[in-house]
Amino acid sequence: MTENLPTSGFGFHLLGTDPDCAARRSTLLTPHGSVDLPAFMPVGTLGTVKGVELSQLRSTAAQMVLCNTYHLALRPGAELVHSLGGLHRFMGWTGPILTDSGGFQVFSLAERTKVDEQSAKFRSHIDGSLMELSPERAMEIQHLLGSDIAMVLDHVIALPNSDEMIREAAERSIRWAGRCRDTRFPKQAQFGIIQGGLHEGLRISNCEQLIKLDFDGYAVGGLSVGEPPAEMYRVLDFTCPAMPANRPRYLMGVGRPQDLLEAVRRGIDLFDCVMPTRNGRNALAFTDEGTLRMRNEQHRSDDRPIASNCGCAACQRSRGYIRHLFMAKEMLGPILVSIHNLTYYQRILSEARSAIEKGQFLPFFDKKLAQWAA
């Protein structure tokens, strides 16, 4: 049964949960198509997944992409994107688009940022000009961009941090979420973001307060910002059960293939991360046997593909050829390994969906982790 979400045109269909863990198989319905969950969103920060043309991106089986409010507001500007038909027309992507609010830039550009109750004030990393990002402006920019899903503006801080700073940021995030909810636009879903550091009480309280605002989906934010993976998993252990079962659950900015499966096991539905493309540009290829460093001498005369079970554009060539491209500084090398890594991420989650449908997610999970650890 499909449940309509608060925003018209959106729905969520929970197909089932694995009998031995919290892994969920579901579908998110949007005006630009449906997304089979759990799913991974390639990161197209500036309206492009770096080095990957859209036909190549579709070939990886990507269903939805993520773009960034802060970066697009600086260049080329939200008003310009709007005048050119919105993000879908601007970048040529016909599927769903989620836009991050810019909250992560409060964290990643901390030396250029001042945060108070009203807003976050940035110095542009491009020209040093001042930009003010309030909850209301973050929603307005995302409306102009025309994404399907807009993220609320939250206050992200590094971990570890003082209890006082974590509490202050979590409480501000709730107040900002309320202001975002008051600035909603038709036909654009909103996701709330749960903050609270590594503190169980803060996370659950934060989640409960967001649920009262009745968002279309809920994200776990403020993780993968310096804490060990085990701590992130611990936070998911107590946060996921507090999240509504009838709404999509999104873990922001995570991560390694094993992190994705650890989070799926705990009930997360949606992911994004720059890792597959960033690693691809740096000659690191993901495989079931672990990461291959494609510049290594051992690949020089190797006629095997990166992965024998992969049919991507990179795996139609040899490891020796891929290495040659990187050593010759040919741009095709980073492009091909980025395509391979994106394909690998999509295949992992496609296999995870099949395993959940069969009630066999834990055996699949154990097999994958054993392969990567070998």
Side-chain angles (χ1 to χ4, degrees), residues 244-258:
N246 62 347
R247 303 289 162 89
R249 301 168 176 173
Y250 168 29
L251 177 58
M252 304 181 75
V254 177
R256 302 174 304 162
Q258 54 265 50

Side-chain angles (χ1 to χ4, degrees), residues 186-260:
K187 300 181 181 178
Q188 186 175 53
Q190 281 186 333
F191 280 17
I193 304 176
I194 302 164
Q195 290 290 349
L198 306 178
H199 297 257
E200 181 172 357
L202 266 182
R203 284 278 179 182
I204 293 175
S205 172
N206 205 267
C207 184
E208 290 170 347
Q209 292 177 76
L210 287 174
I211 291 170
K212 292 176 183 176
L213 295 172
D214 197 25
F215 286 100
D216 298 284
Y218 297 86
V220 181
L223 293 176
S224 195
V225 291
E227 81 285 356
E231 285 292 274
M232 177 174 68
Y233 305 152
R234 183 180 66 84
V235 171
L236 293 177
D237 281 335
F238 55 68
T239 303
C240 287
M243 300 169 79
N246 62 347
R247 303 289 162 89
R249 301 168 176 173
Y250 168 29
L251 177 58
M252 304 181 75
V254 177
R256 302 174 304 162
Q258 54 265 50
D259 295 331
L260 269 59

Side-chain angles (χ1 to χ4, degrees), residues 337-370:
V337 181
S338 293
I339 291 169
H340 169 80
N341 287 345
L342 289 169
T343 303
Y344 185 72
Y345 271 56
Q346 297 298 343
R347 185 164 64 252
I348 288 171
L349 288 180
S350 175
E351 292 172 353
R353 292 193 295 268
S354 296
I356 297 167
E357 289 169 4
K358 297 171 185 174
Q360 292 292 312
F361 180 78
L362 286 185
F364 164 75
F365 171 86
D366 290 339
K367 178 182 176 182
K368 283 294 183 187
L369 262 64

